[in-house]
Amino acid sequence: MATLATGRSAALKLDWAHLSTSLGLRGQTASALQAFKKRHDDARRKLTLLSEQAQTVDFGHYRAVLKNQAVLDEIEKQFKAFRPATYDLDRQLRAIDAFEAQAVQSAEQTRDLVDLELKDLSKTLTNIEEARPFEDLTVDDVMAAEPKIEERARELVAKGRWTVPGYKEKFGDLSFL
């Protein structure tokens, strides 16, 4: 029970507005936090209302009103024997902590992947910006950049093919020039 009391005091001391701004939460994460805060406030309000209500049953009143005393005896016996279920909150809190750790690890992995992708895209953008104009490129430059082109050209020449398949369909036949 000490864990529950500690959890309550921590929840009461939590500054929800400052939490969102200090962590820089936006979008779906911020709305999920607000929904959680609303559920927390509703549950706390319900707990307060229920704890203020009377928790006893006046069986004397029911004995005077109802005729079937055997049923009342059975109900009273069951009522007195009732013990509320206790839950192991530590197990649930450990599960939540494990889920949170997994979520943080997943977020860090995603961040690292995004950082790598951004570096790669930045390098690609730099290459595009610093590239020579297409008109200034030579065949040797193209083959050095993409060796597969040279391999494919050698293969076609070795087979006696001097034209690239689909070239005439795409660019037309220039043989009449």
Side-chain angles (χ1 to χ4, degrees):
M1 277 303 198
T3 307
L4 184 60
T6 305
R8 274 192 205 141
S9 65
L12 292 174
K13 293 176 185 177
L14 187 60
D15 183 4
W16 293 94
H18 180 70
L19 181 67
S20 293
T21 56
S22 67
L23 295 177
L25 302 178
R26 291 187 219 119
Q28 186 178 9
T29 306
S31 62
L33 182 64
Q34 289 300 327
F36 177 77
K37 179 191 179 307
K38 183 181 181 308
R39 287 193 317 268
H40 172 265
D41 291 343
D42 291 344
R44 197 172 71 204
R45 209 172 298 114
K46 285 180 185 177
L47 177 65
T48 303
L49 287 173
L50 291 173
S51 64
E52 292 172 357
Q53 291 180 357
Q55 298 176 359
T56 59
V57 177
D58 184 11
F59 285 102
H61 169 71
Y62 289 108
R63 288 191 193 286
V65 174
L66 299 173
K67 293 180 184 177
N68 193 346
Q69 298 298 311
V71 171
L72 279 174
D73 291 338
E74 182 64 28
I75 292 173
E76 186 174 11
K77 184 176 104 179
Q78 292 291 329
F79 180 77
K80 288 181 179 177
F82 175 75
R83 297 287 173 249
T86 57
Y87 294 100
D88 182 14
L89 293 179
D90 291 333
R91 184 176 59 91
Q92 292 176 350
L93 291 173
R94 283 193 304 269
I96 290 170
D97 289 341
F99 178 76
E100 179 183 0
Q102 179 64 31
V104 168
Q105 182 183 10
S106 176
E108 288 172 350
Q109 289 174 348
T110 302
R111 182 198 62 210
D112 293 343
L113 289 173
V114 168
D115 287 345
L116 286 173
E117 185 70 22
L118 285 173
K119 287 178 185 176
D120 187 42
L121 289 173
S122 176
K123 183 179 174 184
T124 302
L125 182 62
T126 303
N127 285 341
I128 290 170
E129 290 172 347
E130 295 174 356
R132 288 184 290 173
F134 186 75
E135 302 82 37
D136 294 345
L137 290 178
T138 64
V139 171
D140 294 332
D141 294 334
V142 173
M143 284 194 257
E146 190 60 47
K148 291 180 184 178
I149 294 174
E150 184 176 9
E151 291 173 20
R152 179 72 174 140
R154 288 184 193 278
E155 181 183 309
L156 289 174
V157 169
K159 292 180 179 179
R161 295 185 186 155
W162 298 97
T163 60
V164 177
Y167 183 86
K168 287 184 180 179
E169 291 81 9
K170 189 169 184 178
F171 299 107
D173 190 3
L174 302 176
S175 62
F176 64 88
L177 295 178

